[in-house]
Amino acid sequence: MAEIDSNTKVVVLTGAGISAESGIRTFRDADGLWENHAIEDVATPYAWQANPELVWQFYQARRRQLLGVEPNSAHRALVDLERFLGDNFLLVTQNVDDLHGRAGSKNLIHMHGELRILRCEKCHETFDYMSNEHLTDQYVACPSCGNERLRPHIVWFHEVPLQMSEIYSAVEQCDVFITIGTSGHVYPAAGLIEVARQNGAYCIGINLDNPMNIDLHDEFLQGKAGELLPKYVKKIIN
Ligand code: APR
């Protein structure tokens, strides 16, 4: 086990697996389908241009789903770890759900965007819109510039993830890098562990199945994040 004290700089990368025990399906557990849709039909800018209604309804359903799920013990364990490490902790998530934030994580980057937020492609403003009027299948207009159709604030395939320079800078400087619930299929997220290793970080993985980049981890715990992570964090803090 890694030596971690309150001066250790830790970056955690989470993926869909950490929210699985809250009842949100992962991406690659259903033959490449995501909630019965091919990813290219709903999660690319081309899909949004060609078939905005389908894409909008798909994301509105994902947004409504957030109202029925709760953070689990793995999300909460990361809040405990952040309390212990303070500014030495950064959580980078690929997840677009809001469970880390609702659990209480503060130093948090949503590199693939957030379901809670809608964005205007004309004036570029973003809106945290989760009230009932914003969750129907009707498009939501931009209150600032009048554009009739806000889009999901989601980084689709072929788009560039958010806050990458901040992420690289933290990963380059960290002492310990932890991946949780991510299959290691999607770049650049899957490549962050290589950056961490090159800079001498100790790399830990917690995942139900072997991730693609399992060999890059110094330590790997196989199992459910909700069971393994709270115990791991408790050991660090004590
Ligand atoms: N605890 C830990 N790991 C789990 C659990 C659990 N309870 N349940 C599932 N897993 C693991 C699976 O074994 C799998 O390796 O979580 C991983 C989830 O992998 P993916 O579904 O590929 O999700 P992720 O790695 O987050 O996908 C990355 O791909 O489609 C895009 O943009 C989307 O952010 C997403 C990106």
Side-chain angles (χ1 to χ4, degrees):
M1 187 170 160
E3 285 292 314
I4 298 179
D5 61 32
S6 57
N7 294 316
T8 310
K9 289 192 169 68
V10 175
V11 175
V12 176
L13 173 70
T14 62
I18 198 165
S19 295
E21 288 159 80
S22 294
I24 300 181
R25 282 174 71 184
T26 60
F27 296 96
R28 285 172 191 79
D29 65 1
D31 298 330
L33 295 184
W34 183 18
E35 300 283 356
N36 303 321
H37 289 276
I39 283 174
E40 57 272 23
D41 289 344
V42 289
T44 70
Y46 316 111
W48 176 237
Q49 271 172 18
N51 199 348
E53 266 179 45
L54 173 73
V55 174
W56 179 251
Q57 285 170 16
F58 175 79
Y59 279 98
Q60 287 298 76
R62 306 279 75 71
R63 281 158 49 75
R64 288 192 292 265
Q65 186 187 26
L66 295 182
L67 302 178
V69 294
E70 296 295 332
N72 65 52
S73 52
H75 298 105
R76 288 191 291 273
L78 291 178
V79 179
D80 294 340
L81 187 58
E82 179 169 9
R83 281 203 193 108
F84 177 69
L85 295 169
D87 290 342
N88 289 325
F89 174 90
L90 174 66
L91 174 54
V92 178
T93 188
Q94 298 166 86
N95 298 344
V96 293
D97 65 55
D98 59 356
L99 296 179
H100 283 307
R102 277 164 54 196
S105 287
K106 298 275 180 272
N107 205 4
L108 166 65
I109 294 179
H110 276 272
M111 67 182 290
H112 291 167
E114 291 178 68
L115 283 169
R116 296 185 61 89
I117 297 180
L118 300 177
R119 181 172 89 230
C120 180
E121 287 179 309
K122 291 202 174 131
C123 72
H124 307 292
E125 268 205 65
T126 55
F127 306 92
D128 189 338
Y129 268 178
M130 285 296 287
S131 57
N132 288 343
E133 63 183 300
H134 301 125
L135 292 171
T136 70
D137 282 346
Q138 306 298 313
Y139 292 124
V140 177
C142 176
S144 297
C145 76
N147 174 11
E148 63 180 15
R149 202 187 284 170
L150 294 175
R151 64 163 270 180
H153 184 50
I154 297 291
V155 177
W156 285 322
F157 284 91
H158 312 294
E159 294 184 324
V160 181
L162 308 173
Q163 294 178 262
M164 284 312 292
S165 59
E166 252 175 88
I167 294 173
Y168 281 124
S169 145
V171 172
E172 279 161 13
Q173 290 171 46
C174 75
D175 306 302
V176 173
F177 183 77
I178 309 177
T179 68
I180 304 166
T182 177
S183 62
H185 273 87
V186 172
Y187 283 80
L192 292 175
I193 190 168
E194 291 170 45
V195 177
R197 279 188 80 83
Q198 278 160 17
N199 288 279
Y202 184 86
C203 299
I204 303 165
I206 296 181
N207 212 60
L208 196 55
D209 308 301
N210 287 357
M212 291 273 282
N213 52 16
I214 186 169
D215 293 346
L216 299 175
H217 293 83
D218 297 292
E219 188 180 328
F220 181 72
L221 306 177
Q222 184 163 21
K224 291 187 173 178
E227 290 167 11
L228 298 176
L229 191 59
K231 290 185 205 149
Y232 200 88
V233 168
K234 219 175 221 172
K235 270 194 216 155
I236 293 171
I237 292 176
N238 296 329

